[in-house]
């Protein structure tokens, strides 16, 4: 069992949660409610259907935000036997919806009418019918015991038994089931009196969600650096899982908690496209709006035996690191991994198995397809929020999000062309051109050629405040 530690850094306008396993950062969560970055997944709204589009089996719902939410036909709950969306809901209908995915990029948030209310042991789905047990509970006897316990409660709706329920007493399950039913009854009452486009149930704050979902026997400590938040979370855990309450502790060290545990150092690498592997190989991770591409390279690693063994060893290392990076960076959607070509099928299977093992502890749903003839692995990872990179950064104003700027050679030629267009072949006057230091050095190295082509002396001036592609031309 891995040693799991949870750290919470609570500031006036930001809450950050770091999950460490065996001392290494594996998961990072952030919430900035005052700055428009509150977690919306799990919130329940009274919505108004604005448009029903049978052509794409979808509807758009006004939930009070600038962009309408997206509702797909499979997320509609209706008594109608006709499963065409236009037969189940109509424009102007008032419906209860829950946020399933937050707005990502240009897309609005995705909602569902199939409400789910998570507890510590159970997830209650009042509009469902199915009773299921988490696949992570592998013991058949325990699975049967838990299912019988839920059936004995005769809940009105569907229930999923969570992994944490393994070994839980029937009384604990019954107590939580009653709580979730009461919660649902309260939500229904609020819905009846609420105005369309209003919030009727807010999901727990970040630290409380983490306490509910991650405070298990594996979590050895939950350190919180804010005294008030510590007291609130401790009281919540005391009610939820009293046997774990002593693991919630107040961090009082003088060194900031993230700095003391090396989290800030690990976070500084999240923005980097390149991730080095222990053997000398490396990954290149490139996120786009619709997918993420990951390239594997051997780098300095040459191995001691055959090329096949060297490549396989690099790919296995890469598969392990990919699992870590996807979880840490919260990369979701379609992911394509370009492993180095391997000749033998058994080696390809080893790499895929390693990737499956590396993603086993991920809370997001993951599907991995077999490796292709080109050495590519296609996979999907559940995306409920924007990735960490998208949350923390925005497109560079200099390169307009491309990640590239013009080379010094291209800048030299651009300036040369503009001077020729301005002078139109005339040779009188002295040129002064002001550029950034890197471009300036290239111009100075090629000043003789430049002066010969533009037919006039040139003075190269340096301005360290100028952006890379900016420059000033003066001819006097």
């Amino acid at each position: 069992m891995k040693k799991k530690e949870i750290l919470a850094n609570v500031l006036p306008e930001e809450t950050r949660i770091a999950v460490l396993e065996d001392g290494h950062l594996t998961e990072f969560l952030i919430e900035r409610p005052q700055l428009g970055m509150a977690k919306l997944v799990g919130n329940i709204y009274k919505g108004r259907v604005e448009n029903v589009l049978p052509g794409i089996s979808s509807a758009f719902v006004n939930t009070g935000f600038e962009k309408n939410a997206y509702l797909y036909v499979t997320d509609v709950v209706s008594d109608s036997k006709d499963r065409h969306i236009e037969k189940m809901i109509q424009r102007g209908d008032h419906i209860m919806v829950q946020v399933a995915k937050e707005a990502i990029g240009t897309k609005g948030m995705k909602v569902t009418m199939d409400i789910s209310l998570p507890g510590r042991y159970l997830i209650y789905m009042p509009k469902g019918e199915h009773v299921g047990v988490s696949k992570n509970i592998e013991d058949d006897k325990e699975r049967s015991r838990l299912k019988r316990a839920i059936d004995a409660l005769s809940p009105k709706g569907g229930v999923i038994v969570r992994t944490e329920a393994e070994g839980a007493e029937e009384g604990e399950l019954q107590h939580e089931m009653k709580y979730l039913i009461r919660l649902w009854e309260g939500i229904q009452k609020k819905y009846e009196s609420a105005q369309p486009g209003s919030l009727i149930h807010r999901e727990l704050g970040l630290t409380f969600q983490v306490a509910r979902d991650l405070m298990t026997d594996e979590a050895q400590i939950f350190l919180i650096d804010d005294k008030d938040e510590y007291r609130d979370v401790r009281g919540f855990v005391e009610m939820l899982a009293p046997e774990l309450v002593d693991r919630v502790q107040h961090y009082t060290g003088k060194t900031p908690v993230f700095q003391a545990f090396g989290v800030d150092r690990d976070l500084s690498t999240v923005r980097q496209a390149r991730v080095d592997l222990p053997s000398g190989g490396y990954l290149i991770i490139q996120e786009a709006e619709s997918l993420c591409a990951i390239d594997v390279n051997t780098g300095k690693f040459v191995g001691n035996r055959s090329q096949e063994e060297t490549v396989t060893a690099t790919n296995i290392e890469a598969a392990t690191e990919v699992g870590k990076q996807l979880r840490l960076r919260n990369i979701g959607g379609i992911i394509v991994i370009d492993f180095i070509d391997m000749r033998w099928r058994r080696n390809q299977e080893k790499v895929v198995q390693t990737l499956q093992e590396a993603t086993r502890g991920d809370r997001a749903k993951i599907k991995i397809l077999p490796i292709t003839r080109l050495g590519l692995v296609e996979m999907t990872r559940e995306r409920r929020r924007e990735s960490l990179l998208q949350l923390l950064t925005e497109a560079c104003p200099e390169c307009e999000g491309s990640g590239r700027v013009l080379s010094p050679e291209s800048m030299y030629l651009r300036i040369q062309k503009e001077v020729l267009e301005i002078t139109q072949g005339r040779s009188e006057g002295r040129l002064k051109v002001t550029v950034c230091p890197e471009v300036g050095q290239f111009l100075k190295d090629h000043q003789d050629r430049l002066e010969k082509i533009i037919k006039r002396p040139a003075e190269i001036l340096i301005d360290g405040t100028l952006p890379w592609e900016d420059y000033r031309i003066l001819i006097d």
Side-chain angles (χ1 to χ4, degrees):
M1 184 181 294
K2 293 182 178 180
K3 177 184 176 183
K4 181 182 288 187
E5 300 164 304
I6 306 171
L7 313 175
N9 172 223
V10 181
L11 298 170
E13 294 187 318
E14 179 184 63
T15 297
R16 302 187 299 166
I17 303 284
V19 180
L20 279 64
E21 292 181 358
D22 293 337
H24 299 288
L25 180 64
T26 58
E27 197 168 346
F28 180 74
L29 306 168
I30 187 169
E31 185 177 49
R32 297 169 177 171
Q34 288 81 11
L35 301 177
M37 284 176 57
K39 289 174 69 67
L40 300 179
V41 172
N43 285 0
I44 299 175
Y45 296 85
K46 184 171 184 175
R48 181 182 185 276
V49 179
E50 295 293 331
N51 290 299
V52 179
L53 304 176
I56 57 173
S57 299
S58 305
F60 289 92
V61 183
N62 181 357
T63 55
F65 291 87
E66 183 179 351
K67 288 184 180 178
N68 289 334
Y70 172 75
L71 175 68
Y72 189 58
V73 63
T74 55
D75 291 308
V76 176
V77 177
S78 170
D79 295 330
S80 174
K81 294 181 180 179
D82 191 328
R83 301 309 296 172
H84 291 87
I85 193 167
E86 68 272 19
K87 300 296 183 181
M88 294 188 285
I89 56 174
Q90 284 78 43
R91 183 178 181 181
D93 284 354
H94 295 169
I95 57 176
M96 184 188 299
V97 292
Q98 185 173 37
V99 180
K101 292 182 181 178
E102 294 185 11
I104 298 174
T106 57
K107 300 176 182 177
M109 63 187 184
K110 186 176 184 292
V111 295
T112 178
M113 293 174 66
D114 190 9
I115 308 299
S116 61
L117 302 174
R120 179 170 176 79
Y121 301 122
L122 308 172
I123 298 176
Y124 179 43
M125 298 172 293
K127 298 186 179 183
E129 298 177 353
H130 175 70
V131 175
V133 180
S134 169
K135 294 179 181 179
N136 292 329
I137 301 177
E138 299 178 352
D139 185 83
D140 290 336
K141 290 183 178 179
E142 179 64 5
R143 293 178 63 87
S144 298
R145 181 187 76 85
L146 291 169
K147 196 170 188 308
R148 286 195 305 270
I150 299 302
D151 289 338
L153 299 176
S154 301
K156 293 181 179 180
V159 178
I160 294 176
V161 182
R162 304 182 72 173
T163 306
E164 187 56 26
E166 186 170 11
E169 296 180 2
E170 293 183 16
E172 294 176 301
L173 301 178
Q174 183 179 18
H175 176 75
E176 181 163 288
M177 191 74 253
K178 288 181 178 178
Y179 161 74
L180 293 174
I181 291 174
R182 287 197 304 270
L183 177 61
W184 170 239
E185 291 171 349
I187 290 171
Q188 287 179 302
K189 289 180 181 178
K190 288 183 180 179
Y191 174 80
E192 294 298 330
S193 60
Q195 294 295 316
S198 58
L199 174 70
I200 57 176
H201 171 72
R202 186 185 300 278
E203 175 63 300
L204 294 172
L206 183 59
T207 51
F208 293 92
Q209 284 186 47
V210 168
R212 180 191 66 198
D213 298 338
L214 298 183
M215 277 302 292
T216 65
D217 289 336
E218 293 181 358
Q220 297 190 353
I221 195 168
F222 188 177
L223 278 178
I224 305 172
D225 64 0
D226 181 81
K227 193 172 184 179
D228 292 336
E229 193 79 2
Y230 156 72
R231 287 174 177 170
D232 291 343
V233 173
R234 185 178 174 89
F236 179 71
V237 173
E238 192 168 14
M239 175 189 68
L240 200 67
E243 72 279 6
L244 300 176
V245 69
D246 289 339
R247 303 188 188 187
V248 181
Q249 296 184 20
H250 182 211
Y251 178 78
T252 58
K254 293 183 179 180
T255 305
V257 63
F258 273 24
Q259 185 178 336
F261 284 80
V263 174
D264 285 333
R265 179 191 65 243
D266 293 340
L267 281 175
S268 65
T269 66
V270 169
R271 291 172 52 196
Q272 298 174 8
R274 174 167 170 156
V275 179
D276 291 324
L277 302 174
S279 65
Y282 61 92
L283 308 176
I284 298 294
I285 303 175
Q286 295 177 310
E287 291 185 53
E289 185 172 346
S290 59
L291 60 80
C292 174
I294 303 177
D295 187 34
V296 182
N297 299 279
T298 54
K300 298 178 181 179
F301 183 49
V302 295
N304 298 318
R305 298 184 182 178
S306 67
Q307 180 182 357
E308 179 76 5
E309 289 184 355
T310 300
V311 166
T312 303
T314 302
N315 284 338
I316 288 175
E317 267 192 358
T320 301
E321 188 61 36
V322 165
K324 295 177 182 177
Q325 291 296 324
L326 293 180
R327 184 179 172 192
L328 175 59
R329 299 179 185 224
N330 193 29
I331 296 173
I334 300 171
I335 300 154
V336 179
I337 310 167
D338 184 9
F339 287 105
I340 308 167
D341 290 341
M342 294 169 286
R343 295 172 58 190
W344 303 112
R345 190 70 186 174
R346 63 175 181 271
N347 291 333
Q348 297 174 3
E349 291 172 354
K350 282 181 185 178
V351 171
V352 175
Q353 288 171 2
T354 302
L355 182 60
Q356 290 171 338
E357 186 62 33
T359 57
R360 199 177 301 280
D362 199 321
R363 293 189 291 152
K365 295 178 183 177
I366 289 176
K367 182 177 181 181
I368 301 173
L369 300 180
I371 198 165
T372 69
R373 293 176 64 183
L374 295 176
L376 302 176
V377 168
E378 299 170 4
M379 63 179 289
T380 60
R381 183 176 183 272
E382 181 185 25
R383 176 163 59 182
R384 303 183 74 187
R385 295 194 78 194
E386 291 184 308
S387 73
L388 193 56
L389 187 67
Q390 291 169 324
L391 280 172
L392 297 179
T393 66
E394 62 180 34
C396 168
E398 289 195 34
C399 68
E400 298 181 350
S402 71
R404 313 281 296 182
V405 292
L406 290 176
S407 66
E409 294 88 348
S410 297
M411 290 296 297
Y412 164 81
L413 293 171
R414 172 185 277 192
I415 293 169
Q416 180 192 110
K417 179 183 177 182
E418 187 167 336
V419 171
L420 290 174
E421 289 175 351
I422 293 172
T423 59
Q424 296 183 347
R426 297 190 299 271
S427 59
E428 63 274 8
R430 181 180 179 86
L431 170 70
K432 291 183 180 179
V433 57
T434 307
V435 291
C436 72
E438 293 82 357
V439 175
Q441 185 59 53
F442 186 89
L443 292 179
K444 289 180 177 180
D445 292 342
H446 298 81
Q447 188 167 351
D448 291 343
R449 288 176 53 199
L450 177 65
E451 291 177 341
K452 184 176 180 181
I453 292 171
I454 65 175
K455 300 177 182 179
R456 70 191 63 242
E459 183 179 359
I460 311 300
L461 304 175
I462 304 298
D463 185 348
T465 65
L466 274 182
W468 183 281
E469 293 187 8
D470 282 5
Y471 54 88
R472 295 191 293 268
I473 293 175
L474 176 64
I475 299 176
D476 55 13

